[in-house]
Amino acid sequence: MGDSLTRKIIRSHFDSGTMTPGEDVFVTVDQTLTHDINAVMTYLAFEQIGLKRARTEVSVSNLDHNLLYIDFKTPDDHIYLRTAAEKYGVYVSRPGNGICHMIHTCRFASPGKLLMGGDSHTPSSGAVGALAIGVGGMDVATAMTGLPMRLTMPKVVKVNLTGHLKPGVNAKEVVLEMLRRVTIKGGLGKVFEYVGPGVLTLEVPERLTIANMGAEMGATTSIFPADEVVKKFMEAQDRGSEFIPMSADEDAEYDEEMELDLSSLEPLIALPHQPDNVVPVSSLREHPVVQQVFMGSCTNGSYSDFAKAALVMQGHHVDENVQCTAGIASKQIYKQLMKDGYLDMLIDAGVRILELSCGPCCAIGQVPPTNGIAVRTSNRNFRGRAGSPNANVYLVSPETAAATAIKGTFATAFDVMGPDVGKLASVHEPEHYFVDDSMLIKPLSEEEAEKVEVIKGPNIAPLPVPEKPEKDLSCRISLKGRDNISTDDITPAGAEFSSMRSNIPLMSKYCYNRYDPEFAERARGLGKSIIIGGENYGQGSSREHAAINPMYLGVKCVIAKSIARIHKGNLINHGIVPMLFENPEDYEKLELLDELEIVDFPEQIKKHEVTVRDKTGDFSFKCKLDISDAEMATILDGGQLMHLKKQLVDRGIIKE
Ligand code: F3S
């Protein structure tokens, strides 16, 4: 039996471990990426590790998320990130160059490379046949040391695509349909590998859209073959010499298989407040007034996405009740849209062109009004993600977003264009892109880097370092959460909060503030505490602040029914023990402020089974630890920073 593309790439980067699904495998990492609202912690950690230079082929620090500069904090962070990048041999993608995933896919990723990025949508670069995995910021710092990285060997799911998309139907529909079938938890521990004749009908940015939102299924990543389409794309980016054909063997064996006929898809919409809450647009019975439409983001910010949206809007104007904005994913795309006249069409239709950044996707601007309805082409519609706790956010394709902006309520390209919808099939990616890397700052030589002074503004506070698990833990429950708590619930998005991410003492005051405004004070008052969660705790964004802030506030463990992959890694990295109810019904018995006791905690951790006594309710219950030996070692060392230093000392890479 042959190998899938996923297994081929893991095999070619294999260091140790075993390639059996669910087991630990250690791999060498070629490339890393970070972005501005998560990266300060990554570079502070790298600085504490004490290495002089990143030991990867390529590491990129993207300044792309928060370009509002509402006060001194973010510009200070950007200066820190730029000088840290210069010090450690890292590329900088300057503000205005575009969104990290589009930049990485277009300018850095290539077939067969293994990329780890400090953002959950890193899998976007699977569009060109790279194995691209989203991890926490501390993991990126680890990857930058060149040490082999631990990965839970994923199952590989073959997704056989047939047929082709109809005009007015976007790659977004492919991934929304996947989400409808697989759900937000169904991808856990899996890589979705797209194969079949339908793949050849999809251009690279369409593949990017699909790979991008594999993150919403909780998948390790998604990947497409490096075929003729990728070759053409890389040649159009003047990177043809970096292309190598790569695909699964004809007789590749997969752990699971799915079929998806592209021709069968119609415009879909994810209803509030989860991206898997997907129905056909045509099935909606109510057509309320939509106040906001946002087109773009890393998910649907490509040239073709905007060209198609422009054609839907041509000859029409945005409804007077709608604020319609566009967040184009890169300068390269912006210039091409300008040259080809599509930008004019969008502006003529009343679209407001925003900065080339993440912006509204993470609540940095364009917050919906009270109880507002917002329709977006981005990837998440969790409650609060758009910056308002009571807004209703719907996820759609650019074609549907454009039609909705015109009609003022849910509508598709068919509703606006009628039989002319076929015109959309004429849109293709450019034969040759504007290649201009003047907004990328290249790494300095080692001699030049020696002279760089890393500049830290007053908002940049030291990285807090957790303690090892104590022998006998006795503390109260500081929060009992529902199912599907997202990292947005734990650490709010938005310009104001994003600019605090370099200062944990400050930001921790806002931990859980939209979900339970009294949590931070309560946890601080308790000194140490335990959080209780439902299913899929910590889903969504990879932001490790959702682990660092609770750790800073004294949270020692999270006990949940299930914990999302990246968040579990972040909890371990930052010294919070992630535990699962052995019997999920025990969740119901626990109450806020119950006093819990765990004796011989480190010894119980080693057995992967922990007995917890609820002294308030006078009962005991069992928890299990679904962690590998390597993760256990990290926990027992008191988090990844201390664990990593120990490993680097052992290997003689740094001195004690
Ligand atoms: Fe940025 Fe939103 Fe993508 S925050 S990286 S555009 S998910």
Side-chain angles (χ1 to χ4, degrees), residues 77-109:
D77 284 355
H78 284 187
I79 290 170
Y80 168 70
L81 290 170
R82 171 167 177 175
T83 52
E86 287 174 340
K87 191 84 188 162
Y88 303 126
V90 171
Y91 281 90
V92 177
S93 179
R94 294 171 60 186
N97 199 32
I99 303 175
C100 53
H101 305 307
M102 184 60 81
I103 297 300
H104 207 91
T105 306
C106 293
R107 306 305 305 150
F108 294 104

Side-chain angles (χ1 to χ4, degrees), residues 192-205:
F192 291 95
E193 188 167 314
Y194 291 85
V195 299
V199 166
L200 275 173
T201 70
L202 297 171
E203 298 200 69
V204 165

Side-chain angles (χ1 to χ4, degrees), residues 64-65 99-101 119 121 212 297-298 358 361-362 379 385:
D64 61 342
H65 274 54
I99 303 175
C100 53
H101 305 307
D119 186 272
H121 294 100
N212 175 285
S297 83
C298 63
C358 298
C361 175
C362 51
N379 46 40
R385 166 80 180 187

